[in-house]
Amino acid sequence: ETSGYMCSKGKRGWRKNARLNPGLKIAVTSREYRHQPAALSLRGGPRTGDHVNILLNTELIGDIIAIAAGRDLEDRVISDINAVEL
């Protein structure tokens, strides 16, 4: 399950649609995080990928720090979102 269609490589998203991303000047990177909840955690633990609880995900926090430090990230797509065509 993913909500990343607009960031995927499809024709209708921000990556390839100049109407949504004028001049295609803004880089778009897709990062997905697998939902791996901790058994005894009410919030899902450090590897959750569930809705708001993803803010506790240690991989996401590491990616945010990397972006803030000026590092570019590669796409990481776990789902089959790139195969979806609407």
Side-chain angles (χ1 to χ4, degrees):
E1 179 177 327
T2 183
S3 60
Y5 179 75
M6 291 301 290
C7 293
S8 71
K9 295 180 180 180
K11 299 175 199 166
R12 298 183 182 189
W14 291 307
R15 252 179 230 249
K16 294 186 178 178
N17 188 327
R19 197 182 81 212
L20 299 174
N21 185 356
L24 300 174
K25 294 178 184 175
I26 299 172
V28 177
T29 303
S30 296
R31 301 282 290 181
E32 292 183 338
Y33 303 90
R34 192 171 304 281
H35 180 53
Q36 297 173 320
L40 300 175
S41 174
L42 296 175
R43 290 289 203 165
R47 303 209 57 189
T48 186
D50 184 39
H51 192 52
V52 173
N53 294 333
I54 195 168
L55 297 173
L56 300 173
N57 186 301
T58 54
E59 287 181 281
L60 173 67
I61 294 168
D63 287 346
I64 291 170
I65 292 169
I67 292 167
R71 199 172 114 218
D72 290 331
L73 298 179
E74 302 272 328
D75 284 347
R76 183 179 68 200
V77 179
I78 297 166
S79 69
D80 61 352
I81 191 68
N82 290 326
V84 174
E85 289 293 329
L86 296 178

